[in-house]
């Protein structure tokens, strides 16, 4: 599984901040696939295209993962805007992911 691609979307008019994310996955593992789907859903709903997502497959590039201190997959890192934040797991805890991204979760 070759997944070292970056998806970039321009922010809509009025939105100037682009959230830069890096998701480390382990090939086609179920948790990795679920993390990708969950993150794409969150980005579509809350970031409305104002994000850049890079998916790094640690099976394809293990040295990069080690150099960047990634020990567990799936692992999401928000690189910017500051502060840097990390979430580990399949990203099914939407509230936790939104807080890490600096976004306010929906009030139920």
């Amino acid at each position: 599984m070759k997944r070292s691609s970056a998806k970039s979307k321009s922010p809509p008019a009025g939105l100037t901040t682009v959230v830069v994310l890096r998701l480390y996955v382990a090939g086609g593992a179920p948790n990795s696939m679920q993390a990708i789907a969950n993150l794409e859903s969150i980005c579509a709903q809350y970031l409305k295209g104002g994000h850049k997502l890079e998916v790094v497959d640690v099976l394809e590039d293990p040295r990069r993962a080690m150099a960047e201190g990634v020990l567990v997959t799936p692992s999401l890192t928000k690189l910017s805007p500051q502060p840097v934040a990390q979430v580990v797991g399949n990203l099914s805890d939407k509230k936790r992911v939104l807080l890490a991204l600096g976004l306010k979760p929906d009030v139920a």
Side-chain angles (χ1 to χ4, degrees):
M1 175 181 178
K2 180 114 175 138
R3 281 211 107 142
S4 187
S5 61
K7 294 180 182 180
S8 183
K9 306 236 180 174
S10 300
L15 180 63
T16 57
T17 302
V18 174
V19 177
V20 180
L21 305 166
R22 187 173 296 142
L23 179 63
Y24 298 91
V25 298
N31 275 340
S32 293
M33 301 308 291
Q34 188 64 52
I36 292 169
N38 288 337
L39 184 58
E40 287 178 346
S41 173
I42 288 169
C43 289
Q45 183 177 356
Y46 291 91
L47 297 176
K48 308 287 188 207
H51 69 283
K52 179 180 176 187
L53 171 61
E54 178 183 13
V55 177
V56 178
D57 185 341
V58 300
L59 299 178
E60 299 275 333
D61 200 353
R63 289 187 179 164
R64 179 176 178 189
M66 288 183 65
E68 295 178 7
V70 176
L71 301 174
V72 178
T73 61
S75 181
L76 174 67
T77 302
K78 179 189 78 157
L79 300 169
S80 73
Q82 296 289 330
V84 172
Q86 291 185 317
V87 181
V88 175
N90 67 10
L91 309 180
S92 61
D93 186 346
K94 189 179 197 179
K95 182 177 179 180
R96 195 174 92 192
V97 175
L98 291 174
L99 290 173
L101 296 178
L103 302 170
K104 294 186 183 215
D106 293 334
V107 178

